[in-house]
Amino acid sequence: MSSPLPDPIARLPGEWEEALAAWGEPRFRAAQVFQWIHARGVLDPEAMTNLPKRLRARLAEEGLAPPLALTARHRAEDGTQKLLFALGDGRTIESVLIPQGASGVEDPIGGEEPEPGARPSTQCISTQVGCAMGCVFCASGMAGLKRHLGAGEIVAQVLAGRALVGEGERLRNLVLMGMGEPLHNYDAVARALRLFFHPEGIGLGTRRVTLSTSGLVPEIDRLARDFGGKVQLAISLHVPDDARRSELMPINRRYPLATLMDALRRYPLPPRRRITIEYTLVRGYNDALWDADALARLLHGLRVKVNLIPMNPVPDNPLGPPGWPVVEAFHDRLWERGVATFVRRKKGDDIAAACGQLALANEPKKIRVPLPVVAGG
Ligand code: SAH
Ligand code: SF4
C-alpha cells in the first residue's frame, strides 16, 4: 500500500487519481475535482455541477471542507486588507492582501505593463502559528511555535484571499512572509508551492512566489533541488556580523553568515533575477553607517537587492525603528557602495502593520531570548 493520501484540499491531481480510482471513478474526474478546488475555489461538493451525484456524496463524506474560516477583515485606506482566520482547533493566523501601488512589497517582476482591467495584488501568507526561531524583534518569535500549518491550511489562505481581493484587482503574487518560518515547515510548504504553481489550479507563474527565510541552510538547498530556482528567495539578514546577528536571530548560531552566504551563492538563480536581502532597521542596534559598509562587503559579488524595513513596533518589546534621517542615510550609503537598495514603505499602518501582530494579540506571549542591550535611542 502507498502512503496515506493528504487532506483533500492538499492533494495534487495524481493523488486525486489515486483516491478516485479506489472509489471506482474514471481518471478524468481527478482533473475536474482539482480544478473545482484550486482553479475555482469551490469546496462545496454540491456546487461541483459537472460531477455525478454519487461522487459529490463521496466527496462530502471525505470531509471536503475549508480548514479555516475568515473571522475578521480590516481594510486600510490604501486598499491593504488584513485577514484573520480561525483554524479548526481555534488558533488564529493572519494574512495580508496588498494591492499594487499600495504595496510595501513591490511586484517581484516589476516594470511590467499592468494587465488591462486588473490591478495585480500580492498576498502575504502564514506558514506556522507562531515561530520557533525566536528573533527578538518579531511578534511571532516572541510567541514561540504553537504549531505548524498543514499544506491545506496554507493553500486555503490563498483560495480565500483570491476571492477577497478588491474590485478590479487580481491576485498575482504571493509572499511567504506572514507568521512562521516557512523552511521550518518544509514538507507542508513544498506541497503548498506545488499547488500554487500547478497550471490546472491556482496557476501562479514562476517567480511570482517569494519565500522569506531567516536562513535555514539545508532547506534552502532543498528548495533549490526541488524547485530549481523557481521560487524567489528573500533572506532575513538584518545584521552583517555573527556576534550581533546571533543575539538578534538565534538561528545564526546554527547557520552563521559565511555558511548562509555560501548557500546563496549556490542557489540556482535564474538570469536577471536577484535574491532579496531583508534588513530590518532596529534603532541603535544595526542602523549605523559602518553597518551599511559591513553589509555591502558581505554582499559583494552576490546578485542581490536590499529591502530596508524600519522595524515595526511590537507590543511589550522595547526595540523600535530609527528615525527617518537614519533610514535615508543607511539607504544612501548602500547605494554609494554599489548595492541596489529600497526602503519598504510600511503599509496598512492603521490596521497594525507588521505581519504577525494581529493574530498574536490573543495568544499568550513568551519572550524566549533575552533582548539585546540597545545603545542610544
Ligand atoms: N520567518 C521568515 C518569514 C516571516 S517574517 C523570515 O524571518 O524571513 C517576514 C519578514 O518580516 C522577515 O524579514 C522578518 O525579519 C520581518 N519582521 C519580523 N518582525 C518584524 C518587525 N517587528 N518589524 C519589521 N520587520 C519584521
Ligand atoms: Fe520567525 Fe521570521 Fe519572526 Fe524570525 S522573523 S521569529 S524567523 S517569523
Side-chain angles (χ1 to χ4, degrees):
M1 242 349 244
S2 54
S3 53
L5 288 171
D7 288 344
I9 189 174
R11 276 178 206 160
L12 287 152
E15 292 160 339
W16 274 113
E17 282 182 14
E18 222 181 286
L20 267 57
W23 307 343
E25 294 286 345
R27 222 182 150 82
F28 72 93
R29 296 278 180 219
Q32 290 179 323
V33 174
F34 185 79
Q35 283 162 8
W36 275 113
I37 299 172
H38 295 276
R40 306 173 73 162
V42 171
L43 290 170
D44 173 10
E46 273 316 299
M48 300 181 179
T49 47
N50 61 354
L51 302 184
K53 219 177 155 108
R54 55 160 204 287
L55 177 54
R56 284 187 259 158
R58 186 70 203 245
L59 288 169
E61 263 170 52
E62 275 279 291
L64 183 57
L68 42 75
L70 184 72
T71 53
R73 183 181 182 189
H74 305 274
R75 207 185 158 89
E77 220 153 90
D78 64 7
T80 301
Q81 298 187 60
K82 197 144 196 164
L83 311 174
L84 194 65
F85 296 107
L87 305 173
D89 61 0
R91 297 247 187 232
T92 50
I93 53 164
E94 65 169 358
S95 180
V96 185
L97 286 169
I98 313 148
Q100 195 181 45
S103 174
V105 186
E106 73 270 34
D107 182 357
I109 301 289
E112 209 176 63
E113 284 298 308
E115 278 176 88
R119 187 153 81 125
S121 51
T122 297
Q123 186 176 12
C124 171
I125 58 172
S126 296
T127 56
Q128 297 178 315
V129 185
C131 182
M133 300 298 124
C135 305
V136 297
F137 50 84
C138 171
S140 305
M142 286 168 75
L145 180 66
K146 307 296 179 190
R147 73 167 170 87
H148 293 297
L149 295 185
E153 290 169 323
I154 299 171
V155 170
Q157 292 170 65
V158 179
L159 298 181
R162 185 177 56 184
L164 293 167
V165 292
E167 210 173 314
E169 292 167 22
R170 209 185 110 194
L171 187 63
R172 207 71 206 287
N173 307 303
L174 284 184
V175 293
L176 280 65
M177 286 188 189
M179 295 169 81
E181 168 49 58
L183 295 184
H184 185 217
N185 186 13
Y186 189 88
D187 290 336
V189 166
R191 175 174 281 280
L193 289 170
R194 288 195 181 93
L195 291 162
F196 297 149
F197 289 131
H198 201 288
E200 305 269 307
I202 297 169
L204 288 173
T206 300
R207 306 190 298 256
R208 292 276 175 197
V209 180
T210 301
L211 183 149
S212 173
T213 178
S214 55
L216 277 66
V217 167
E219 285 76 17
I220 294 173
D221 288 336
R222 211 172 151 194
L223 195 72
R225 270 199 309 279
D226 291 351
F227 295 92
K230 197 172 180 185
V231 178
Q232 180 69 28
L233 202 58
I235 301 291
S236 294
L237 196 86
H238 306 323
V239 189
D241 64 78
D242 280 323
R244 286 179 307 147
R245 190 167 190 265
S246 295
E247 242 178 8
L248 216 62
M249 304 179 69
I251 189 67
N252 191 71
R253 291 184 207 129
R254 189 147 15 128
Y255 305 114
L257 283 166
T259 314
L260 178 57
M261 291 300 130
D262 281 344
L264 301 192
R265 274 184 271 274
R266 287 193 294 273
Y267 195 72
L269 206 55
R272 293 186 302 284
R273 304 301 306 164
R274 299 185 218 192
I275 293 174
T276 301
I277 300 293
E278 293 159 283
Y279 195 99
T280 294
L281 286 161
V282 181
R283 181 181 57 238
Y285 194 75
N286 62 355
D287 60 354
L289 290 180
W290 54 265
D291 288 317
D293 295 341
L295 180 62
R297 274 196 302 277
L298 185 68
L299 299 177
H300 186 76
L302 276 163
R303 251 193 292 151
V304 293
K305 65 170 178 186
V306 171
N307 271 349
L308 294 177
I309 315 147
M311 182 189 157
N312 288 306
V314 174
D316 303 327
N317 191 315
L319 304 177
W324 188 247
V326 173
V327 177
E328 258 188 331
F330 199 95
H331 164 269
D332 294 351
R333 185 67 156 241
L334 283 172
W335 276 108
E336 280 164 29
R337 297 272 180 264
V339 183
T341 306
F342 305 89
V343 179
R344 217 162 90 180
R345 292 165 297 154
K346 265 198 303 178
K347 283 294 151 185
D349 275 356
D350 55 326
I351 52 171
C355 269
Q357 284 171 40
L358 190 65
L360 284 154
N362 43 16
E363 288 275 5
K365 274 185 212 70
K366 168 162 136 227
I367 298 184
R368 294 165 63 91
V369 269
L371 294 168
V373 180
V374 175

